[in-house]
Amino acid sequence: EPEVTQTPSHQVTQMGQEVILRCVPISNHLYFYWYRQILGQKVEFLVSFYNNEISEKSEIFDDQFSVERPDGSNFTLKIRSTKLEDSAMYFCASSESVLGGIREQFFGPGTRLTVL
Amino acid sequence: KQEVTQIPAALSVPEGENLVLNCSFTDSAIYNLQWFRQDPGKGLTSLLLIQSSQREQTSGRLNASLDKSSGRSTLYIAASQPGDSATYLCAVKESNFGNEKLTFGTGTRLTIIP
């Protein structure tokens, strides 16, 4: 069964460093998302991406964050200068474009980011 | 702003019992609602999706209902098993075009006692 994959599973970085989290969405899906979950808190929406551009972003997704689809399969989230409060589990999700717009989102296993 | 609440935060039941998990949302103008399962330290597994026009959806021992006008959904698990132990999350997608995000509840941590 097709699934969303994410690498790495765990990333440890120093404050101020740049990190890139990688995702491979399900192959026929056209909508891509990033969410994050700080330990013990709700899953929060960061950004959605469609047709090679951001379609929606949350207040969390400030200038330190960017997303890219560098090729036909990968979808990346970059954090330019990490802060301690960026420590969280980051989930990638994807959904297909369906006539009538009913789109179930499928999530990857997550990347645990630890900022020291 | 949409707010999603799940009560209780934690629930323990003996194996074999039927149980109901609750989800409520403040803005009834939703497009769909998804129930997810999350195992500790793991990703989110989609269990059921209910469209706003539907009243319920079933998959195996799981049945999800939706009452959009009252802002409520329930997830019914029949004949619970220890393998059902996990955190269950509900999430709503709002109805306006271009709004693709899911808004999540805090989850209910379910423990099935063998």
Side-chain angles (χ1 to χ4, degrees), chain B residues 18-114:
Chain B
N18 304 326
L19 60 100
V20 174
L21 306 179
N22 297 296
C23 171
S24 61
F25 45 94
T26 54
D27 186 344
S28 61
I30 66 167
Y31 193 82
N32 62 42
L33 182 147
Q34 274 185 264
W35 280 94
F36 294 88
R37 170 189 172 129
Q38 184 176 29
D39 292 285
K42 304 290 186 183
L44 307 177
T45 301
S46 180
L47 298 173
L48 288 163
L49 178 144
I50 308 182
Q51 302 166 39
S52 61
S53 58
Q54 295 178 313
R55 296 286 291 182
E56 64 179 67
Q57 194 69 256
T58 298
S59 176
R61 293 183 296 109
L62 305 180
N63 176 279
S65 69
L66 175 64
D67 184 343
K68 203 174 92 160
S69 61
S70 68
R72 292 181 185 177
S73 176
T74 62
L75 179 67
Y76 174 84
I77 302 177
S80 58
Q81 303 170 357
D84 295 330
S85 297
T87 296
Y88 290 81
L89 305 174
C90 69
V92 299
K93 178 181 178 307
E94 295 174 32
S95 62
N96 42 322
F97 180 78
N99 187 331
E100 295 295 324
K101 70 179 181 187
L102 291 176
T103 301
F104 281 81
T106 44
T108 294
R109 189 172 68 252
L110 176 65
T111 303
I112 304 300
I113 305 163

Side-chain angles (χ1 to χ4, degrees), chain A residues 33-97:
Chain A
Y33 316 85
W34 284 100
Y35 293 80
R36 78 172 186 190
Q37 186 178 32
I38 295 170
L39 190 63
Q41 297 187 22
K42 290 185 181 186
V43 176
E44 302 172 286
F45 169 79
L46 293 178
V47 66
S48 59
F49 191 86
Y50 171 71
N51 200 26
N52 283 320
E53 61 182 26
I54 290 173
S55 53
E56 188 182 3
K57 61 183 180 179
S58 71
E59 295 167 352
I60 303 167
F61 194 88
D62 61 21
D63 292 345
Q64 293 300 309
F65 292 87
S66 62
V67 289
E68 190 179 30
R69 187 153 164 82
D71 52 42
S73 60
N74 289 285
F75 180 53
T76 62
L77 174 69
K78 182 193 290 186
I79 309 175
R80 273 183 255 284
S81 178
T82 51
K83 307 184 185 93
L84 295 176
E85 54 265 37
D86 293 328
S87 293
M89 182 77 97
Y90 287 80
F91 294 109
C92 173
S94 68
S95 61
E96 60 180 331
S97 177

